[in-house]
Amino acid sequence: MTDRDFALDPRLQNDTRHVASLALCEVLLMDDTRFPWLVLVPRRAGMSEICDLSPDEQALLWREVTLASQALRALAPFDKLNLGALGNIVRQLHVHVVGRREGDAAWPSPVWGSGSASRYDEQARAALLERLRAALDASGP
Amino acid sequence: MTDRDFALDPRLQNDTRHVASLALCEVLLMDDTRFPWLVLVPRRAGMSEICDLSPDEQALLWREVTLASQALRALAPFDKLNLGALGNIVRQLHVHVVGRREGDAAWPSPVWGSGSASRYDEQARAALLERLRAALDASGP
């Protein structure tokens, strides 16, 4: 389910690393050690709102959000899941899946717009990406 | 579809006004003139995460979020829809549906934790609630 005109927004490209391609979405890891944080981007060009997707695609999006949440939880226990679809700055349709821990760098405020990212070092990032891919496979259909 | 043990969180009760009861959710209007802002609360006791709902209930939740978004858009045109399920402060499961306008009081930051609510006066609130109920009926199944 890929739109041939789909291209990832340059800002998302810059801020994240690619984890996996699900049926509808690209799964990206936010390159920020402060929060366990995935971003799901449906591979559909020119969409900015969830209601731009067909009802079937919307259902698939939420299933993939659940899958990503489970993978994140398997890796890094958290106290509260934060889901958000904002797009005030990056208009390309994307959904944030963030594991929040009491006392984390933004707690209890939202992560969006909170301070500056602290990037993973290369080794830690590679290990995390591998574990995320395994967790997504394990919790997949 | 009501859980007999369900009771609305006191903070949500204080910050909002009741709009309508859908099949799964209570629809509430955030009493804040700065943003067109609805909150959907599934009538299920003791739930804090969307994945606590059954798959059927999750699907219904997202249908009702779409319904609420359409009702909001019919009333107050906006540039970008913001959806969020955070719950860092109020743990009772709830989903925010917020119409954002470029240049609004928090733009382009999230609305959560941004400044203080500016309450509707009684007449404006009553009129808005009536229009929201009509819009929800019109876009209903």
Side-chain angles (χ1 to χ4, degrees), chain A residues 49 80-83 85 88, chain B residues 49 80-83 85 88:
Chain A
E49 301 288 3
K80 189 67 195 70
L81 188 72
N82 285 186
L83 296 182
N88 303 339
Chain B
E49 301 287 4
K80 189 66 195 72
L81 189 71
N82 283 186
L83 296 183
N88 303 340

Side-chain angles (χ1 to χ4, degrees), chain A residues 56-116:
Chain A
D56 283 353
E57 287 172 331
Q58 290 182 36
L60 187 52
L61 171 64
W62 295 120
R63 282 206 296 281
E64 295 186 354
V65 165
T66 300
L67 205 66
S69 311
Q70 289 164 343
L72 209 56
R73 191 183 286 280
L75 255 78
F78 48 77
D79 301 308
K80 189 67 195 70
L81 188 72
N82 285 186
L83 296 182
L86 290 88
N88 303 339
I89 295 170
V90 170
R91 287 298 168 101
Q92 181 172 68
L93 178 58
H94 61 288
V95 179
H96 299 273
V97 178
V98 194
R100 302 299 306 277
R101 290 168 292 223
E102 293 180 18
D104 70 23
W107 188 265
S109 299
V111 294
W112 306 288
S114 171
S116 299

Side-chain angles (χ1 to χ4, degrees), chain A residues 14-87:
Chain A
N14 181 61
D15 293 348
T16 67
R17 293 303 177 105
H18 187 259
V19 181
S21 298
L22 301 181
L24 177 65
C25 295
E26 297 298 293
V27 181
L28 311 171
L29 170 69
M30 191 64 80
D31 193 6
D32 188 344
T33 61
R34 298 175 303 158
F35 313 102
W37 184 345
L38 298 175
V39 179
L40 275 71
V41 186
R43 286 186 303 280
R44 309 286 284 124
M47 302 212 165
S48 62
E49 301 288 3
I50 289 166
C51 62
D52 292 339
L53 297 171
S54 72
D56 283 353
E57 287 172 331
Q58 290 182 36
L60 187 52
L61 171 64
W62 295 120
R63 282 206 296 281
E64 295 186 354
V65 165
T66 300
L67 205 66
S69 311
Q70 289 164 343
L72 209 56
R73 191 183 286 280
L75 255 78
F78 48 77
D79 301 308
K80 189 67 195 70
L81 188 72
N82 285 186
L83 296 182
L86 290 88

